[in-house]
Amino acid sequence: MAHIIHDISRTFNEYLLIPGLTSKTCNPDRVSLKTPLVKFKRGEAPEIELNIPFVSAIMQSVSDSKMAIALAQNGGLSFIFGSQSIEEQAKMVRMVKKFKAGFVVSDANLTPEHTLQDVLDLKEQKGFSTIGITDDGSSNGKLLGLVTSRDYRPSKDPVDKKIKDFMTPFAKLVTGSLGISLNEANDIIWEHKLNTLPIIDENQRLRYFVFRKDYDNHNENPNELLDSHKRLIVGAGINTRDYKERIPALVDAGVDVLCIDSSDGYSEWQKVTIEFVREKYGDSVKIGAGNVVDKDAFLYLAEAGADFIKVGIGGGSICITREQKGIGRGQATSVIEVAQARDEYYEKTGTYIPICSDGGIVQDYHMVLALAMGSDFIMMGRYFARFDESPTKKIMIGGNYVKEYWGEGSNRARNWQRYDMGGSSNLKFEEGVDSYVPYAGKLKDNLDLTLGKVKSTMCSCGAISLPELKDNAKITLVSSTSIIEGGAHDVILKETK
């Protein structure tokens, strides 16, 4: 008969942190959230460290070049989704590596022949009030003009009015030349009292925007995650099917770390993929693997040579693998067992392999629980999908703004490589859903709030670093009634407008 594991499969929601001694020196300003991303030997430093323990999920609806730039600027990392052509994914990696802080690629563009209605629709979709008017409506077309909210009056101007009749034409624009420094661009903005400075090349093609509102933000990214050449660090997701073509293209584009994207990583296919990397690139190319939920699977991928290992099956908010296939495990139980296996492996071999908790995060304090239970960093999809920087549309439903969010195992993503078991047959059923998440605004504003909570909770546990949190945190199981006790109860809540 099957081997029956009698331990209960538990979620983060079934645990609470017990406060430790908060010393006078234990305050949020002193908390360090640095954490290793890739494996390292005892006494050595990891080649890549995160400044915050967050990475964004390998999903079409979460991680593109824009998210990768924003998250790296704030100390984390994005794994650009792999369920797209090799060329498009490599292009996104290059965009991140070529990014210059303060120089923003325009992704809201129209042509002079478009109408005011097109402007209003694009503003609704993208949330931007500055629109570059180019000859072909692309982000790098010949710049012909600019439209801002000061150029039209929705209440009086007809919606079929052509953009060419109300835009600020190129002849009246102040522009900067490609190659200009950020300081020089800001000087022009202040000298001419501009809100936006278009940056163009020698052929008048739009290359970037520099915004006045970003002036104060240039010095607000002390946690930027940079490589040795001062470029932002970026990851990319791969599969176990076209890896021989995809990996070289991504490496050529400058990717810093790869991750095999799969709902079940305990597979010979992953071992073969890692072996390909080691044979072709040695240890110079970093590659993570997963997902796993127990010791045996961790050890298999550790021996295969994975640089980090992702933990979690079926715990994501849009994942229905457990419902469809009946495989998986509660995220808390998975992290606890794999973290113990990781520590035992470290003691035995002297090699520390970071683990990433992927899924199961509902509340911000769940992040601290995941880290205290042994995770080195956390991968999140729903959390990041809510922000301006995610690649999905912002739409209004029922009077509230939401953003689209779908799983890689959904019919919409059609990412059969992620759920493929080998052989000639492809994905025949869905393991993810298509949904919406509440729109939350800018990544930085929300992330700063979340990190503030995480640091405050760590201080309540008496820890000012993630290793201290792992070593010293005390965690307790909670009953269903104590969960109710932990929220507002036995009161009549006031209605908020």
Side-chain angles (χ1 to χ4, degrees):
M1 64 174 289
H3 177 61
I4 307 297
I5 297 174
H6 293 287
D7 292 340
I8 297 173
S9 181
R10 298 190 182 278
T11 68
F12 294 134
N13 214 42
E14 295 177 80
Y15 292 91
L16 285 175
L17 293 149
I18 294 177
L21 174 63
T22 304
S23 66
K24 293 180 180 178
T25 58
C26 190
N27 63 72
D29 290 338
R30 298 189 68 244
V31 171
S32 169
L33 294 177
K34 280 185 172 292
T35 191
L37 177 70
V38 295
K39 68 183 178 183
F40 59 94
K41 294 186 180 298
R42 184 181 286 114
E44 299 179 358
E47 290 188 37
I48 305 177
E49 276 188 308
L50 299 171
N51 291 327
I52 63 171
F54 296 162
V55 299
S56 65
I58 310 170
M59 301 173 68
Q60 292 177 5
S61 56
V62 179
S63 298
D64 64 353
S65 56
K66 188 175 180 181
M67 176 61 72
I69 289 168
L71 189 49
Q73 285 183 308
N74 285 277
L77 178 85
S78 284
F79 287 93
I80 292 176
F81 70 92
S83 51
Q84 60 178 321
S85 72
I86 295 173
E87 294 74 20
E88 286 301 313
Q89 189 182 24
K91 180 180 177 182
M92 287 188 181
V93 169
R94 286 192 176 92
M95 288 178 68
V96 179
K97 300 308 290 185
K98 292 180 179 179
F99 174 78
K100 295 173 65 177
F103 292 84
V104 181
V105 175
S106 175
D107 61 355
N109 304 279
L110 294 169
T111 72
E113 296 302 318
H114 280 96
T115 65
L116 175 57
Q117 185 62 58
D118 294 316
V119 171
L120 298 176
D121 291 344
L122 189 60
K123 183 178 179 181
E124 177 79 11
Q125 176 186 337
K126 298 286 189 177
F128 303 134
S129 58
T130 299
I131 297 174
I133 309 304
T134 60
D135 60 342
D136 59 2
S138 72
S139 59
N140 292 128
K142 184 176 181 181
L143 183 63
L144 301 179
L146 205 63
V147 169
T148 71
S149 56
R150 294 180 298 179
D151 292 315
Y152 57 87
R153 295 182 296 176
S155 60
K156 293 189 176 182
D157 292 332
V159 294
D160 60 352
K161 187 176 182 179
K162 297 281 189 179
I163 287 177
K164 63 184 178 182
D165 295 327
F166 63 88
M167 70 179 187
T168 301
F170 179 81
K172 294 185 178 180
L173 293 177
V174 177
T175 62
S177 299
L178 184 64
I180 193 174
S181 71
L182 185 58
N183 285 336
E184 291 170 330
N186 282 322
D187 287 342
I188 294 174
I189 286 174
W190 284 93
E191 179 183 349
H192 294 273
K193 299 180 180 180
L194 305 174
N195 288 322
T196 307
L197 178 69
I199 305 298
I200 59 173
D201 63 18
E202 65 276 11
N203 297 315
Q204 198 178 310
R205 304 187 78 82
L206 177 63
R207 299 300 298 271
Y208 303 106
F209 282 137
V210 178
F211 293 98
R212 184 187 186 95
K213 63 182 176 61
D214 289 337
Y215 177 79
D216 293 329
N217 292 336
H218 299 323
N219 296 318
E220 290 183 3
N221 296 314
N223 285 326
E224 270 190 327
L225 194 64
L226 303 173
D227 64 17
S228 58
H229 299 288
K230 304 299 182 184
R231 300 173 302 179
L232 296 176
I233 290 179
V234 61
I238 62 170
N239 62 73
T240 57
R241 282 281 183 159
D242 64 7
Y243 62 91
K244 290 183 180 180
E245 296 78 35
R246 189 174 294 270
I247 291 175
L250 293 171
V251 171
D252 183 66
V255 74
D256 296 282
V257 58
L258 303 169
C259 184
I260 305 173
D261 184 28
S262 173
S263 63
D264 177 11
Y266 196 5
S267 159
E268 288 187 352
W269 298 106
Q270 295 218 358
K271 180 181 179 181
V272 170
T273 304
I274 297 170
E275 287 174 346
F276 168 81
V277 170
R278 295 293 171 247
E279 291 169 3
K280 187 173 179 64
Y281 302 102
D283 292 327
S284 64
V285 170
K286 306 304 179 185
I287 180 169
N291 287 21
V292 305
V293 293
D294 67 358
K295 176 180 180 178
D296 292 342
F298 169 84
L299 291 176
Y300 181 82
L301 293 178
E303 291 299 327
D307 286 295
F308 67 85
I309 295 173
K310 284 206 293 143
V311 181
I313 295 177
S317 60
I318 41 70
C319 184
I320 54 174
T321 297
R322 297 179 193 174
E323 291 181 14
Q324 291 282 51
K325 296 173 65 174
I327 66 168
R329 200 177 196 185
Q331 189 66 10
T333 301
S334 301
V335 168
I336 291 169
E337 178 171 327
V338 175
Q340 184 176 352
R342 184 267 322 278
D343 293 343
E344 291 173 356
Y345 187 85
Y346 179 52
E347 288 300 315
K348 178 181 177 181
T349 67
T351 298
Y352 187 93
I353 303 176
I355 62 173
C356 168
S357 177
D358 178 16
I361 301 295
V362 180
Q363 307 293 340
D364 286 353
Y365 79 88
H366 290 168
M367 302 173 189
V368 186
L369 278 168
L371 296 167
M373 289 174 177
S375 300
D376 294 283
F377 55 100
I378 302 165
M379 177 173 281
M380 294 181 288
R382 181 192 61 84
Y383 178 84
F384 290 111
R386 305 172 301 146
F387 303 145
D388 285 326
E389 293 81 1
S390 74
T392 61
K393 298 177 182 177
K394 182 181 75 172
I395 57 179
M396 181 174 284
I397 295 181
N400 297 307
Y401 281 113
V402 297
K403 295 204 78 177
E404 294 179 297
Y405 180 47
W406 60 91
E408 289 297 281
S410 68
N411 186 58
R412 179 170 183 173
R414 297 186 182 277
N415 188 7
W416 61 266
Q417 295 99 329
R418 185 176 201 266
Y419 296 85
D420 188 34
M421 301 297 288
S424 59
S425 61
N426 292 345
L427 178 66
K428 300 299 184 184
F429 55 89
E430 294 184 87
E431 293 186 48
V433 299
D434 198 341
S435 63
Y436 301 106
V437 289
Y439 168 67
K442 291 182 179 293
L443 178 145
K444 183 174 178 58
D445 294 341
N446 288 274
L447 188 59
D448 286 347
L449 179 60
T450 294
L451 294 176
K453 291 181 184 179
V454 169
K455 291 179 178 181
S456 179
T457 303
M458 288 175 61
C459 287
S460 293
C461 294
I464 59 172
S465 71
L466 295 181
E468 282 186 15
L469 181 69
K470 291 182 177 69
D471 291 341
N472 302 329
K474 294 180 290 184
I475 300 173
T476 181
L477 276 167
V478 295
S479 68
S480 57
T481 52
S482 67
I483 293 175
I484 297 173
E485 180 186 62
H489 60 90
D490 300 316
V491 294
I492 300 173
L493 296 176
K494 295 179 180 179
E495 292 186 7
T496 56
K497 295 183 180 180

